[in-house]
Amino acid sequence: MSTRTKICSAAMIAVGGALAVGSVRAQPQLERVEITGSAIRRIDAESALPVQILKKEDIARTGATSVTDLLQRLTYVQGSFNESAGVGGGAGGITTVSLHNLGDTRTLVLLNGHRMAQFGGQTLTGFAAAMDLNALPVAAIERIEILTDGASALYGADAIAGVVNFITRRNTDEGDVSVGLSFPRGGAREKRVSATKGFGSLEKDGFNVMLSLSHDERTRLDSVKRDFGNSAEVRFSHGGKNYRVQQVTAAAIPANAYHDNGTPADDSDDYLFNPYYVANGRCPDKTFLVSDFGDYCAFNFVGELEVYPARKRSSVLGSVNFKVGDQTPYVDWLYSESTMNSRIAPVPGTISIPAGSALHNTYLLPNGVVGDSEAYYRIFDLGNRTYEDKAKFFDFSAGSRGLLMGWDYNAFYAHSESKSVQNIAGLPGALAVSRVANSGLLDPFVGPGQQSPAGMAALNSINYKGYWDGGISKLDSVGVRASSELMTLPAGPLMLGAGVGFQRESFASRPSLYAQGRLADPVAGTLCDPSAPPGDPLECDQRFGDAAQSIPYTSSRNSYSAFGELIVPAAKGLEFITSLRHDRYDDFGKATTAKAGFQWRPNREVMVRGSVGTGFRAPTVPQIKAPRQNYGVTFDDYTCTPELQAIATSLGATCRPGPSQYDVIAAGNTELKPEKSRQRSVGIRFEPGRDVSLGADLWYVRVKNTIGQLTEQEVFANPDLYANSWTTRTETGTGNVYVAFLADNKNLGTDSLTGLDIDATGRMRLPFASLTSRVALTYMIREQRQLTPTGRKYSAIGGGDEALGVVTFRWLGSWANTFQHGNWAHTFTANFRSGYLDSTSTVEELDASGNPTGNYEDIRLPVKRHVTLDWQTQWNPRKDFVVTVGLLNVFDTKPPLSISSGGGNRGQQFGYDDRYYSSVGRTAYVNASYKF
C-alpha cells in the first residue's frame, strides 16, 4: 500500500503560515513523485536542490486573494512587477514573479510542469517578457513548487533565477464552492467566487474529470484616499530642517507659457511663466508654484491618479484523466480573461502660440512675450487618460504518463497563447489639438470647465476612444521525459532521467493605425499621406503629448533540447546528482549547460546539500527583431546641462525647456548575445527533534552578457560618457526637434548576486492550544551589476548605487505564529523588510513658518524599515465547512516616505515607492468554503 510521507518540522511559512517546505523523512514503500528541479521520479523527500512547497491549505492561511498577492509576500521574491506599478498605461496589466531579484524574465513559470507563453503585451525592450500571473486562478491550485536554485536541466537552462511550478487539482471527485470579500478603506474592494467539482475515480472508474471556475472583481483606489500619496508636492523634515520636494510637470490648466524675455533670437534668459498667476497672484486650483526656470504653476498630476486600478478576472480550468493499465492519458486546459482599468491625470502637451495670434495678443504680449511661444497645457476637460487593458490566456496540454518497460515517463504536447489588447480614451492627436487651437475655439489659458460650448464640442470631436496597441504570444511544445532505476548499488539504486523537447515560439506586435502614426484623423480613421507637407489635411498625426510610431512586426523561432540526469548513491547517506542539457536555437546556435549536486545525510537529524551549474538565456524575439520606434518618455524630469546642450546641438536639436520629461526611443538589436550564467549553492537542514527544524541555503549567481538598457538616471547624469545613447525626435504639432534618449537593447555586462535563505520552525503544546512558530528570512549578502561590459560595478543593496534605478533589500522576512485549539486556528504574522537610501533628490528648504527660503539641497533620504502585522482566524465547525476572517496590515502601517520619482518599472505615484509597498492599507476580509 502506498502512503505519502508526512511533512515534518522543516516548514517555512512566509506569510500567514503558508510555505510548507522542507525536510521530508523517507519511509518504506512511499509514492514516487516528480519533484520540480529534477527529472527523476523518486521518493517525495528533500533533494540536493532547495525546493519550497506551498500546499492549498497553506495558501488559504495567507489571506492572499490571488497568485500575485501570494508570491509577492515570500521572502525570496524580489524584483517582481505588480499592478500598482503599472499605473500609467504602459504595462498592459501584467503581474510577474522574480526570485532573488534576478528578474522575472529569468524566473521560469510552469503549469503542471510545462512552459507557457510569455505575455502578449511584452515590449521590444524585454519588459513583460514573462508569464502573466493574472492568468492563473488561485482557486484551482493544488500546490506550488518553487525551486530557488536556477538553470534546471529538466525545464530549461534559461531558468537562471529558478522555477515556479503551479500544480492544479486533478483526480478528485470532491466539490467545493468558495466566496470571499475584502474591505480596504476607500477603495480596492474585492469580491470573489469559485467552484470546483470532480467526477469519477481513476482507480475505480478508470477516469476522472475535474472542472474549476473562478471570478473576482476589484474596485479602484484613488490617490486622494491616501494622504501619503496624493500630491506631487511633499513636505517633510530631515536632519532638523523642513523641506519640500516637487514632482514637476509644466503642463497645467490654465497653461504655462514660454517667455522669450523680449528677445526671440536669444533663449539664454528665457523662462516659463503662468498668465493666471501673474494676473491673480496665486496659482490656480490643482497646481502649485514652482520657482525654477521662472515662476510657474505645476499641475498636481498625482492627485488625479488611481493608485490601484479596477480589475475583473474570470477563468475556467479543466482536466480529464483516464486509466489504461499502467498508462494515464490526460488532457488539461485553462482559459482566463482579465480586464484592468487604470486612469491617470488628463493628457499634457505643448501647443504652439504664434506671434500675432489672438491667444498671443490676449495672454502673452501684455506680459512681454514678443515672438512665437508655446503653451504647456493639460487638457483637463477631456477627462483623465484611461487605459483598458484586456488579457486573454489559453493553455492546452495533452499527453500520457505512466510506467512503460520499467520507465516512468511523461509524453506531452502543449499549446499556449497570450493575447493583450489596450484600449484608450482621453488621448487626442497632436495635430488635431493644434488645429482646434488654431481655429480659436480652444483657449488653453482658462480653467477647468471654462471652455466655450463650441470649444468643448471641438475637443470632444477629437477625443480618440478605442483600440491602441496589443500583441499575441504563442508557444507550442512537444516533449518526452522518462526515468528509471538502472541498477542497485550497495548504497541504493542508480537512477537515470532523460528527455527531449521541441518548442516553437512566436510573437506578433499589433499596434493600431493610430499607434503607428498612419492616420490623419484618428477619430474618423482617415489614412494619412506620409509625404504630405506640414499643414496639409492628410498630414500624419500622432498622440498629443506622448507621440508614438509603433511598427507592427511578426517573428518566431524554433528550439530543440535534450537532457540527461543521473543520481548516484555513493555511500550510505551520500548521493550525487549530475545533469547535462543541450539546447539549439535556429537564431542563436547551440549551448550545452550542466549541473552537479550532492546530498549528504550523516544522521537522521542533519542533511547537507550543494550544487554548481551553468545556464543560458537567449534574448526574446522582440528584443532582437523589433524595429526602432518611439517608446514613451522618461520617468524623471531633467534640466538641460551644458553637456546635454552640446550633444543636442551636435544632433541639430534643442533641449526641452526647464525640468522636463524627454522622449525615449527604443529598438531591437540583432547583435545581442545570449546571457550565460554560473550558479552555486550549499545548504544545511538540522532537525534535532520532531518539533524543531532549522535550515539555511547560501546561493550565488553570476550572469554574463546581461541584456537590458542603460538607465536614464545614469545616461542623463553622464551625457558625454554615453554619447551613443542620444538621438532626436520631431514633435508633432509644433515641429520642434528635441534631443531624445535612445534606450536600445544592449549586452550590459555582468551581474553577480549572493544571498542566504534561512528558515526555522518550532512546535509546542500549550495548556490551551498547540503553537507553531515559523520564521523565514532572506539576506542579500553581495551584489555587483555592470552597466557596460568593462564599466564599474554597482550595487543596489540598501539603495546602494543610484545608477541602477532599483532597490535590493538587504533583509526580507516574516514570523508567523499559529495557535490551534479545537475547531479554531489563529495566525499572527509579522512581515518586515529593511530600510534603504532613497535616490538623491533636489529639495527646497522651508523656514519655520513653512515658506520656501530659495535654498536648495541635494539629499539622500533614508527610507525607514517597514513592518506590518496580519491576523487571521479560521473556524471549522464541521469538516465540510470553513469560515475565515482576518485583517491584513492590522495597524494600517503606511508605506515609508520616498521622495525619488524615477526608477525602472515604476508607476506615477509619488511620496512612496509603489514597486515595493502597497497603498491598500488595512484590509478586512472574510472567506467561506463548503465542500461536497
Side-chain angles (χ1 to χ4, degrees):
M1 176 178 176
S2 294
T3 57
R4 282 191 181 271
T5 57
K6 181 180 179 181
I7 293 184
C8 55
S9 9
M12 179 177 77
I13 305 299
V15 177
L19 274 177
V21 173
S23 194
V24 183
R25 290 194 178 92
Q27 298 178 3
Q29 296 181 333
L30 297 178
E31 180 179 354
R32 288 185 177 179
V33 296
E34 186 176 296
I35 300 297
T36 296
S38 174
I40 296 175
R41 297 173 64 84
R42 59 195 305 225
I43 300 304
D44 183 11
E46 192 75 49
S47 70
L49 302 178
V51 179
Q52 324 293 330
I53 303 174
L54 294 78
K55 291 189 173 182
K56 184 176 181 64
E57 55 269 25
D58 302 322
I59 295 171
R61 294 192 189 103
T62 68
T65 60
S66 69
V67 168
T68 302
D69 295 338
L70 172 67
L71 294 181
Q72 290 182 348
R73 301 180 189 192
L74 307 184
T75 62
Y76 43 83
V77 171
Q78 282 203 66
S80 306
F81 190 81
N82 61 65
E83 291 172 305
S84 178
V87 171
I94 189 177
T95 62
T96 66
V97 59
S98 164
L99 298 177
H100 290 150
N101 208 24
L102 284 162
D104 49 24
T105 60
R106 300 187 186 118
T107 302
L108 180 58
V109 178
L110 305 172
L111 182 64
N112 296 320
H114 70 264
R115 290 171 175 258
M116 294 174 285
Q118 295 175 342
F119 183 52
Q122 63 183 280
T123 71
L124 57 90
T125 64
F127 170 71
M131 171 62 198
D132 181 16
L133 298 181
N134 283 316
L136 302 176
V138 70
I141 302 301
E142 179 67 24
R143 70 182 186 277
I144 305 174
E145 298 175 353
I146 303 174
L147 171 64
T148 55
D149 186 80
S152 165
L154 170 61
Y155 296 116
D158 58 341
I160 291 173
V163 179
V164 181
N165 189 8
F166 293 90
I167 311 298
T168 58
R169 300 170 66 179
R170 65 176 65 244
N171 194 24
T172 178
D173 60 0
E174 293 183 345
D176 66 66
V177 176
S178 299
V179 295
L181 299 170
S182 296
F183 305 94
R185 172 177 53 86
R189 296 184 173 180
E190 293 187 16
K191 52 186 178 182
R192 49 195 174 270
V193 60
S194 65
T196 302
K197 183 66 176 79
F199 305 90
S201 168
L202 281 179
E203 298 300 327
K204 295 179 181 179
D205 306 313
F207 76 94
N208 177 259
V209 178
M210 194 278 296
L211 187 66
S212 179
L213 307 172
S214 64
H215 177 78
D216 64 82
E217 297 182 9
R218 183 183 64 210
T219 63
R220 75 189 196 193
L221 175 62
D222 295 331
S223 64
V224 294
K225 301 294 185 179
R226 298 293 183 264
D227 58 6
F228 53 79
N230 61 6
S231 178
E233 181 180 63
V234 173
R235 297 179 177 233
F236 65 98
S237 298
H238 174 65
K241 295 182 180 180
N242 297 321
Y243 298 97
R244 74 172 182 181
V245 60
Q246 298 171 319
Q247 177 66 359
V248 175
T249 172
I253 181 168
N256 295 297
Y258 189 73
H259 202 301
D260 59 14
N261 208 28
T263 56
D266 180 11
D267 59 4
S268 61
D269 55 357
D270 295 349
Y271 58 92
L272 294 178
F273 80 105
N274 189 283
Y276 180 97
Y277 176 77
V278 173
N280 298 276
R282 65 176 181 86
C283 283
D285 293 341
K286 297 183 180 293
T287 68
F288 52 86
L289 182 64
V290 177
S291 298
D292 184 9
F293 199 70
D295 290 335
Y296 61 97
C297 302
F299 187 76
N300 180 23
F301 69 93
V302 176
E304 304 297 318
L305 295 177
E306 292 179 8
V307 292
Y308 235 76
R311 183 195 66 206
K312 292 183 180 181
R313 293 185 298 201
S314 299
S315 68
V316 55
L317 181 144
S319 178
V320 179
N321 293 262
F322 299 95
K323 189 70 172 178
V324 183
D326 291 333
Q327 321 309 317
T328 306
Y330 63 89
V331 175
D332 297 333
W333 71 91
L334 168 65
Y335 178 79
S336 64
E337 292 185 0
S338 64
T339 301
M340 191 181 81
N341 290 281
S342 60
R343 297 172 179 83
I344 60 175
V347 62
T350 307
I351 297 174
S352 294
I353 309 293
S357 65
L359 290 174
H360 185 275
N361 293 337
T362 302
Y363 296 103
L364 305 187
L365 188 60
N367 285 289
V369 180
V370 177
D372 296 340
S373 185
E374 295 173 345
Y376 297 87
Y377 181 48
R378 182 82 55 167
I379 312 183
F380 192 89
D381 294 308
L382 280 183
N384 284 17
R385 284 168 285 175
T386 301
Y387 301 86
E388 181 188 63
D389 292 301
K390 294 184 177 182
K392 295 182 179 181
F393 179 80
F394 175 70
D395 184 89
F396 170 86
S397 62
S400 179
R401 61 173 69 89
L403 187 65
L404 184 63
M405 299 177 64
W407 289 79
D408 279 311
Y409 78 95
N410 184 1
F412 68 92
Y413 162 76
H415 171 80
S416 180
E417 60 182 65
S418 171
K419 182 179 181 181
S420 174
V421 171
Q422 184 177 83
N423 298 312
I424 61 171
L427 287 150
L431 292 177
V433 173
S434 180
R435 293 181 184 117
V436 172
N438 292 339
S439 71
L441 296 176
L442 175 63
D443 188 343
F445 297 106
V446 299
Q450 296 180 7
Q451 296 291 338
S452 67
M456 279 303 308
L459 282 178
N460 290 329
S461 70
I462 64 172
N463 187 9
Y464 180 84
K465 299 178 181 179
Y467 177 65
W468 171 249
D469 203 352
I472 183 168
S473 173
K474 296 182 180 181
L475 177 68
D476 289 276
S477 56
V478 179
V480 179
R481 306 164 187 161
S483 65
S484 179
E485 296 181 9
L486 297 183
M487 65 178 68
T488 301
L489 301 178
L494 177 69
M495 305 183 71
L496 172 68
V500 294
F502 166 79
Q503 290 186 158
R504 178 174 177 79
E505 56 182 310
S506 64
F507 179 78
S509 172
R510 296 178 173 178
S512 65
L513 292 175
Y514 186 18
Q516 295 177 49
R518 294 178 56 192
L519 296 179
D521 185 339
V523 174
T526 306
L527 289 173
C528 68
D529 180 0
S531 62
D536 190 282
L538 292 181
E539 184 181 359
C540 296
D541 205 354
Q542 295 182 44
R543 209 158 67 172
F544 179 70
D546 183 16
Q549 282 181 299
S550 300
I551 301 175
Y553 62 94
T554 301
S555 55
S556 63
R557 71 166 164 226
N558 299 332
S559 61
Y560 309 83
S561 62
F563 67 89
E565 181 176 283
L566 193 67
I567 291 182
V568 182
K572 183 179 179 180
L574 176 64
E575 68 178 22
F576 294 95
I577 179 171
T578 61
S579 60
L580 196 67
R581 182 181 178 93
H582 182 78
D583 291 280
R584 183 164 64 87
Y585 294 79
D586 63 6
D587 57 351
F588 269 95
K590 55 188 177 181
T592 299
T593 53
K595 201 170 190 73
F598 75 93
Q599 179 185 180
W600 178 45
R601 296 175 183 265
N603 53 53
R604 293 178 60 87
E605 289 75 31
V606 177
M607 188 273 287
V608 181
R609 64 185 171 202
S611 71
V612 296
T614 58
F616 172 93
R617 189 179 79 89
T620 66
V621 173
Q623 282 180 314
I624 307 166
K625 301 180 180 180
R628 179 180 287 198
Q629 52 196 275
N630 293 344
Y631 195 69
V633 295
T634 57
F635 288 99
D636 272 343
D637 296 322
Y638 295 96
T639 300
C640 187
T641 62
E643 294 82 3
L644 182 55
Q645 181 61 62
I647 288 176
T649 301
S650 70
L651 295 173
T654 62
C655 288
R656 288 192 173 272
S660 298
Q661 291 176 298
Y662 279 72
D663 296 289
V664 178
I665 310 297
N669 182 358
T670 58
E671 301 300 318
L672 284 178
K673 300 177 182 178
E675 294 182 340
K676 296 182 179 181
S677 70
R678 295 181 181 273
Q679 29 254 125
R680 298 191 292 266
S681 69
V682 61
I684 185 171
R685 299 211 65 84
F686 176 52
E687 295 182 14
R690 292 180 57 86
D691 295 327
V692 177
S693 174
L694 306 171
D697 286 285
L698 178 68
W699 53 268
Y700 164 81
V701 179
R702 179 177 181 268
V703 186
K704 183 181 179 181
N705 297 330
T706 58
I707 300 170
Q709 301 79 39
L710 295 171
T711 64
E712 64 178 66
Q713 294 86 355
E714 176 70 5
V715 173
F716 275 88
N718 305 280
D720 290 336
L721 183 61
Y722 303 104
N724 293 328
S725 292
W726 302 101
T727 185
T728 64
R729 195 190 75 80
T730 302
E731 185 174 68
T732 303
T734 66
N736 295 332
V737 180
Y738 293 112
V739 65
F741 171 41
L742 177 59
D744 53 345
N745 297 320
K746 300 176 183 293
N747 287 113
L748 300 180
T750 299
D751 289 354
S752 299
L753 288 85
T754 304
L756 182 66
D757 297 330
I758 307 170
D759 67 88
T761 300
R763 294 185 179 90
M764 67 174 62
R765 174 66 63 178
L766 302 175
F768 59 91
S770 63
L771 168 65
T772 301
S773 184
R774 304 174 178 91
V775 174
L777 300 170
T778 292
Y779 180 74
M780 300 297 291
I781 299 172
R782 188 168 178 260
E783 178 183 50
Q784 293 182 333
R785 300 181 188 261
Q786 287 180 298
L787 295 179
T788 59
T790 59
R792 60 163 290 194
K793 296 177 180 179
Y794 299 87
S795 173
I797 293 179
D801 293 299
E802 301 172 80
L804 296 177
V806 295
V807 173
T808 299
F809 288 92
R810 177 72 76 178
W811 281 100
L812 289 172
S814 66
W815 180 25
N817 294 277
T818 299
F819 296 87
Q820 180 80 47
H821 61 98
N823 297 328
W824 298 85
H826 311 280
T827 300
F828 302 88
T829 304
N831 312 288
F832 50 92
R833 60 178 62 209
S834 57
Y836 63 91
L837 283 176
D838 211 356
S839 297
T840 301
S841 297
T842 300
V843 299
E844 186 175 12
E845 186 179 355
L846 304 176
D847 62 23
S849 300
N851 298 313
T853 64
N855 298 324
Y856 291 87
E857 297 180 25
D858 288 337
I859 66 171
R860 292 196 73 181
L861 185 71
V863 178
K864 297 180 179 179
R865 65 181 182 273
H866 192 244
V867 181
T868 61
L869 177 68
D870 299 336
W871 155 73
Q872 183 192 88
T873 291
Q874 280 190 337
W875 178 45
N876 293 69
R878 41 194 281 181
K879 291 183 178 180
D880 58 1
F881 186 59
V882 181
V883 177
T884 305
V885 295
L887 279 178
L888 301 176
N889 193 357
V890 173
F891 298 109
D892 201 20
T893 305
K894 299 178 181 179
L897 175 66
S898 167
I899 59 174
S900 66
S901 58
N905 294 344
R906 187 167 181 175
Q908 296 195 3
Q909 293 90 325
F910 189 58
Y912 69 102
D913 199 319
D914 55 272
R915 295 172 296 179
Y916 313 123
Y917 307 98
S918 171
S919 58
V920 174
R922 180 168 52 221
T923 302
Y925 65 91
V926 56
N927 298 317
S929 178
Y930 173 70
K931 295 182 179 180
F932 57 93

